Amino acid sequence: MEEVPHDCPGADSAQAGRGASCQGCPNQRLCASGAGATPDPAIEEIKEKMKTVKHKILVLSGKGGVGKSTFSAHLAHGLAEDENTQIALLDIDICGPSIPKIMGLEGEQYVEDNLGVMSVGFLLSSPDDAVIWRGPKKNGMIKQFLRDVDWGEVDYLIVDTPPGTSDEHLSVVQYLAAARIDGAVIITTPQEVSLQDVRKEINFCRKVKLPIIGVVENMSGFICPKCKKESQIFPPTTGGAELMCQDLEVPLLGRVPLDPLIGKNCDQGQSFFIDAPDSPATLAYRSIIQRIQEFCDLRQSKEENLINS
């Protein structure tokens, strides 16, 4: 059974397909037509296609500019260091597809033999082209990515999303609902203006029954490479991600400090881990990646035990 938006008016309501909460729902047109909430057939097609994908992770953020795509890229790089692990990175930030640039891809879709990428950026004639699409066209593109791409045997599918809780987020959750999503990693920075939006993101996850793997506090201080002293570039005026996670009872996966090399490597389309293997940021990333893997393995083990019991 697919998830429906919070405050769904129901297929029999006069507001069916017309309410504010209907925007972005794959069943919006059917409900508005009065034909009833017949599930989009693509949901079952995607479920079948995703049988070869072991783990599915969404990377979310409430606000833009917090390093969500950078984290998605380095999560993919880190997991792909094991040559026996197959990784796919899907960029559904339709209007701002930055993954091809961060991954150093120009016309190619494979970073390594075991790391593939799909993005709307590959479909543009120029990186400067604007994607000016309404919700239904965005939803259709996400459906095509999930249903029509030949994903093959994949251990981890990482989905990089745009900021917020809008069309793209509803679509990917609804289309993948039957295929089982492991959970979401939510990216924030320490200051309250970011945490405020992350609270909304956590609330969204709970409303659509999307498991929360945990929160990552990005740009969490700057460690001077010479004197090794730490400075707070974005002061955590309300306690930062740690206090928020305690209040909302969600795991804090870790903190990634600022490192100028991260931005430089992303601009050059290279893995930061190779250039700075001993950086505090690299060590933080590796610890977080390990915790994500442990979460996915534990979730899979629990589900297998339920099936066998």
Side-chain angles (χ1 to χ4, degrees):
M1 184 68 178
E2 68 173 303
E3 302 288 354
V4 296
H6 178 60
D7 294 334
C8 172
D12 298 327
S13 167
Q15 291 300 311
R18 299 178 176 85
S21 64
C22 301
Q23 300 302 313
C25 176
N27 294 324
Q28 182 179 11
R29 187 174 297 175
L30 277 170
C31 289
S33 71
T38 304
D40 188 329
I43 292 172
E44 280 302 313
E45 295 167 359
I46 290 167
K47 178 184 177 182
E48 188 66 26
K49 176 61 72 77
M50 288 290 149
K51 283 183 177 179
T52 60
V53 179
K54 188 179 293 184
H55 298 296
K56 307 160 196 74
I57 299 169
L58 305 189
V59 181
L60 310 176
S61 70
K63 182 173 292 296
V66 299
K68 171 186 49 57
S69 294
T70 299
F71 180 85
S72 297
H74 283 87
L75 174 58
H77 278 305
L79 291 170
E81 286 180 342
D82 180 351
E83 294 179 357
N84 296 316
T85 303
Q86 296 295 320
I87 311 299
L89 176 55
L90 172 59
D91 179 8
I92 64 164
D93 191 346
I94 304 297
C95 295
S98 54
I99 287 295
K101 176 66 174 177
I102 293 174
M103 301 300 283
L105 298 173
E106 295 179 358
E108 299 290 335
Q109 291 175 261
Y110 283 90
V111 184
E112 305 288 348
D113 289 343
N114 66 330
L115 173 54
V117 177
M118 177 52 71
S119 170
V120 73
F122 295 135
L123 309 179
L124 304 178
S125 58
S126 163
D128 297 331
D129 284 353
V131 181
I132 309 172
W133 291 356
R134 293 187 185 274
K137 194 165 184 180
K138 291 180 183 179
N139 298 340
M141 187 80 263
I142 293 169
K143 182 195 299 188
Q144 272 192 281
F145 280 150
L146 295 172
R147 183 187 61 190
D148 299 339
V149 171
D150 183 7
W151 296 106
E153 296 285 340
V154 172
D155 292 292
Y156 290 91
L157 171 63
I158 301 160
V159 183
D160 183 46
T161 67
T165 55
S166 191
D167 288 337
E168 294 92 332
H169 309 83
L170 282 169
S171 292
V172 73
V173 170
Q174 288 160 0
Y175 285 135
L176 285 176
R180 193 190 69 82
I181 306 173
D182 285 78
V185 177
I186 303 174
I187 313 300
T188 187
T189 47
Q191 72 273 38
E192 176 59 25
V193 70
S194 178
L195 296 171
Q196 186 176 34
D197 286 340
V198 166
R199 293 187 188 96
K200 296 182 178 71
E201 201 78 42
I202 291 170
N203 194 28
F204 165 82
C205 290
R206 287 173 170 165
K207 285 178 178 178
V208 299
K209 297 181 174 59
L210 175 61
I212 298 172
I213 298 175
V215 173
V216 173
E217 186 177 84
N218 206 12
M219 309 181 198
S220 183
F222 168 70
I223 300 173
C224 176
K226 293 185 178 180
C227 70
K228 305 301 180 184
K229 288 186 178 180
E230 183 175 358
S231 301
Q232 296 297 327
I233 307 299
F234 301 108
T237 55
T238 60
E242 183 175 11
L243 183 59
M244 180 198 70
C245 288
Q246 291 174 3
D247 291 343
L248 297 179
E249 298 181 338
V250 297
L252 176 64
L253 295 174
R255 300 182 179 91
V256 180
L258 277 164
D259 189 317
L261 277 176
I262 296 177
K264 179 183 176 182
N265 281 94
C266 287
D267 282 348
Q268 293 175 345
Q270 299 172 351
S271 170
F272 167 72
F273 300 152
I274 296 172
D275 271 8
D278 299 321
S279 163
T282 297
L283 300 179
Y285 263 119
R286 295 200 185 283
S287 174
I288 291 166
I289 291 169
Q290 182 178 352
R291 293 192 65 183
I292 292 171
Q293 287 178 294
E294 289 170 353
F295 177 96
C296 292
D297 290 342
L298 180 60
R299 183 172 169 83
Q300 182 182 7
S301 177
K302 286 181 178 179
E303 290 179 355
E304 289 174 351
N305 289 337
L306 281 173
I307 292 171
N308 295 330
S309 63

